[in-house]
Amino acid sequence: MRFLIFLLLIGLPVVEISLFIKIGGLIGIAPTMLLIFAMSALGATLLRRQGLQSFTKTKSAMSRGELPVGDMLDGFFLVAAGILFVLPGFFSDILGFALLLPPVRKALGTYLRRRFNVQTVQSTFYAGGGNPRAPRSGGPIIEGEAEEIRDKADPDHRLPPKR
């Protein structure tokens, strides 16, 4: 885990700087900067469109009583794509564009579901038509009656009950 953090904090900027130098040497500084801004604008436009579609799918799945794991993962990947677009650089933009592609998001979602065994969680908490049920413990059932005790000085029951 430490190596991954080190790689992200040190390796990603090194890759971005080397790509800036390489592409800037090939096409010049002004076209390189224009390309960075154009890629960011295009990515933001695609992100907005894809994000609205993902939000709509999630909302409709929840209204049907389903657990929208795939749609939530899509939303997570779209947020990650947005963060990658905010970072200046070609490599991060390429990764962001990759996350905007539905087949890439689907493949990553499938991998994460298998990795974290999401189906087990879904079947445990949402068994039987999407209605959440508490797991049955098999413990004793205690029956009883409840009686509300009110203050005699409050005949209209406007005050909260005393405990």
Side-chain angles (χ1 to χ4, degrees):
M1 186 66 176
R2 287 184 184 182
F3 180 72
L4 181 64
I5 293 172
F6 174 78
L7 187 65
L8 286 174
L9 291 177
I10 302 300
L12 187 62
V14 168
V15 169
E16 295 288 9
I17 291 169
S18 61
L19 282 172
F20 272 128
I21 293 170
K22 184 73 170 175
I23 293 173
L26 292 173
I27 64 175
I29 293 173
T32 302
M33 297 304 288
L34 185 64
L35 187 59
I36 287 291
F37 287 123
M39 287 176 66
S40 294
L42 179 63
T45 303
L46 290 172
L47 178 65
R48 184 176 6 172
R49 194 181 87 215
Q50 294 278 339
L52 286 174
Q53 288 176 353
S54 177
F55 177 73
T56 304
K57 286 180 186 177
T58 302
K59 189 176 176 183
S60 66
M62 290 180 75
S63 69
R64 290 189 308 266
E66 298 173 359
L67 185 64
V69 174
D71 298 324
M72 289 170 56
L73 281 173
D74 264 358
F76 170 76
F77 292 140
L78 290 172
V79 168
I83 291 170
L84 289 169
F85 282 125
V86 170
L87 297 174
F90 292 106
F91 185 70
S92 60
D93 285 346
I94 290 169
L95 291 177
F97 276 119
L99 286 177
L100 288 180
L101 299 173
V104 173
R105 288 196 314 260
K106 185 176 180 178
L108 283 173
T110 302
Y111 169 75
L112 288 176
R113 281 189 216 142
R114 286 184 184 148
R115 173 92 166 106
F116 295 109
N117 200 9
V118 173
Q119 293 297 77
T120 302
V121 173
Q122 183 176 0
S123 65
T124 301
F125 290 110
Y126 285 90
N131 295 324
R133 289 191 287 168
R136 298 186 182 215
S137 63
I141 297 174
I142 301 173
E143 292 186 23
E145 294 181 15
E147 181 179 327
E148 188 173 334
I149 302 173
R150 292 283 183 168
D151 191 3
K152 292 179 183 176
D154 184 27
D156 295 332
H157 304 292
R158 294 184 186 188
L159 297 175
K162 290 183 179 179
R163 294 186 187 245

